[in-house]
PDB file of all heavy atoms in Angstrom:
ATOM      1  N   PHE D 163     -50.808  -8.569 -76.283  1.00 98.00           N
ATOM      2  CA  PHE D 163     -51.942  -8.722 -75.481  1.00 98.00           C
ATOM      3  C   PHE D 163     -52.633  -7.425 -75.182  1.00 98.00           C
ATOM      4  O   PHE D 163     -51.924  -6.456 -75.191  1.00 98.00           O
ATOM      5  CB  PHE D 163     -51.656  -9.460 -74.135  1.00 98.00           C
ATOM      6  CG  PHE D 163     -51.107 -10.881 -74.181  1.00 98.00           C
ATOM      7  CD1 PHE D 163     -49.804 -11.138 -73.855  1.00 98.00           C
ATOM      8  CD2 PHE D 163     -51.970 -11.849 -74.675  1.00 98.00           C
ATOM      9  CE1 PHE D 163     -49.257 -12.413 -74.008  1.00 98.00           C
ATOM     10  CE2 PHE D 163     -51.429 -13.204 -74.718  1.00 98.00           C
ATOM     11  CZ  PHE D 163     -50.097 -13.427 -74.424  1.00 98.00           C
ATOM     12  N   ASP D 164     -53.902  -7.399 -74.959  1.00 97.00           N
ATOM     13  CA  ASP D 164     -54.508  -6.151 -74.629  1.00 97.00           C
ATOM     14  C   ASP D 164     -53.927  -5.427 -73.407  1.00 97.00           C
ATOM     15  O   ASP D 164     -53.979  -4.136 -73.383  1.00 97.00           O
ATOM     16  CB  ASP D 164     -56.048  -6.415 -74.392  1.00 97.00           C
ATOM     17  CG  ASP D 164     -56.829  -6.720 -75.600  1.00 97.00           C
ATOM     18  OD1 ASP D 164     -56.766  -5.988 -76.631  1.00 97.00           O
ATOM     19  OD2 ASP D 164     -57.557  -7.784 -75.583  1.00 97.00           O
ATOM     20  N   GLU D 165     -53.460  -6.200 -72.417  1.00 97.00           N
ATOM     21  CA  GLU D 165     -52.756  -5.650 -71.308  1.00 97.00           C
ATOM     22  C   GLU D 165     -51.599  -4.872 -71.687  1.00 97.00           C
ATOM     23  O   GLU D 165     -50.936  -4.160 -70.702  1.00 97.00           O
ATOM     24  CB  GLU D 165     -52.560  -6.793 -70.322  1.00 97.00           C
ATOM     25  CG  GLU D 165     -53.739  -7.399 -69.653  1.00 97.00           C
ATOM     26  CD  GLU D 165     -54.509  -8.423 -70.562  1.00 97.00           C
ATOM     27  OE1 GLU D 165     -54.035  -8.672 -71.652  1.00 97.00           O
ATOM     28  OE2 GLU D 165     -55.480  -8.833 -70.139  1.00 97.00           O
ATOM     29  N   GLN D 166     -51.005  -5.015 -72.812  1.00 98.00           N
ATOM     30  CA  GLN D 166     -49.829  -4.254 -73.247  1.00 98.00           C
ATOM     31  C   GLN D 166     -50.064  -2.970 -73.962  1.00 98.00           C
ATOM     32  O   GLN D 166     -49.083  -2.288 -74.357  1.00 98.00           O
ATOM     33  CB  GLN D 166     -48.907  -5.211 -74.133  1.00 98.00           C
ATOM     34  CG  GLN D 166     -48.395  -6.460 -73.394  1.00 98.00           C
ATOM     35  CD  GLN D 166     -47.632  -7.400 -74.308  1.00 98.00           C
ATOM     36  OE1 GLN D 166     -48.329  -8.258 -74.934  1.00 98.00           O
ATOM     37  NE2 GLN D 166     -46.392  -7.258 -74.448  1.00 98.00           N
ATOM     38  N   MET D 167     -51.336  -2.714 -74.215  1.00 97.00           N
ATOM     39  CA  MET D 167     -51.746  -1.383 -74.819  1.00 97.00           C
ATOM     40  C   MET D 167     -51.810  -0.200 -73.802  1.00 97.00           C
ATOM     41  O   MET D 167     -52.412  -0.482 -72.667  1.00 97.00           O
ATOM     42  CB  MET D 167     -53.078  -1.567 -75.558  1.00 97.00           C
ATOM     43  CG  MET D 167     -52.943  -2.556 -76.687  1.00 97.00           C
ATOM     44  SD  MET D 167     -51.865  -2.107 -78.043  1.00 97.00           S
ATOM     45  CE  MET D 167     -52.580  -0.572 -78.598  1.00 97.00           C
ATOM     46  N   VAL D 168     -51.109   0.751 -74.098  1.00 96.00           N
ATOM     47  CA  VAL D 168     -51.128   2.016 -73.184  1.00 96.00           C
ATOM     48  C   VAL D 168     -51.439   3.293 -73.928  1.00 96.00           C
ATOM     49  O   VAL D 168     -51.459   3.261 -75.203  1.00 96.00           O
ATOM     50  CB  VAL D 168     -49.800   2.094 -72.464  1.00 96.00           C
ATOM     51  CG1 VAL D 168     -49.440   0.869 -71.640  1.00 96.00           C
ATOM     52  CG2 VAL D 168     -48.670   2.299 -73.477  1.00 96.00           C
ATOM     53  N   ASP D 169     -51.828   4.290 -73.150  1.00 95.00           N
ATOM     54  CA  ASP D 169     -52.114   5.569 -73.836  1.00 95.00           C
ATOM     55  C   ASP D 169     -50.924   6.203 -74.559  1.00 95.00           C
ATOM     56  O   ASP D 169     -51.136   6.710 -75.727  1.00 95.00           O
ATOM     57  CB  ASP D 169     -52.554   6.565 -72.722  1.00 95.00           C
ATOM     58  CG  ASP D 169     -53.898   6.193 -72.198  1.00 95.00           C
ATOM     59  OD1 ASP D 169     -54.691   5.477 -72.855  1.00 95.00           O
ATOM     60  OD2 ASP D 169     -54.151   6.575 -71.016  1.00 95.00           O
ATOM     61  N   ALA D 170     -49.754   5.955 -74.002  1.00 94.00           N
ATOM     62  CA  ALA D 170     -48.575   6.628 -74.672  1.00 94.00           C
ATOM     63  C   ALA D 170     -47.338   5.932 -74.234  1.00 94.00           C
ATOM     64  O   ALA D 170     -47.022   5.608 -73.178  1.00 94.00           O
ATOM     65  CB  ALA D 170     -48.424   8.079 -74.267  1.00 94.00           C
ATOM     66  N   VAL D 171     -46.557   5.446 -75.262  1.00 95.00           N
ATOM     67  CA  VAL D 171     -45.205   4.870 -75.119  1.00 95.00           C
ATOM     68  C   VAL D 171     -44.139   5.986 -75.256  1.00 95.00           C
ATOM     69  O   VAL D 171     -44.181   6.722 -76.214  1.00 95.00           O
ATOM     70  CB  VAL D 171     -44.986   3.756 -76.095  1.00 95.00           C
ATOM     71  CG1 VAL D 171     -43.453   3.357 -76.081  1.00 95.00           C
ATOM     72  CG2 VAL D 171     -45.836   2.465 -75.775  1.00 95.00           C
TER      73      VAL D 171
END
Side-chain angles (χ1 to χ4, degrees):
F163 293 111
D164 288 308
E165 291 78 3
Q166 294 174 274
M167 294 299 296
V168 297
D169 291 335
V171 168

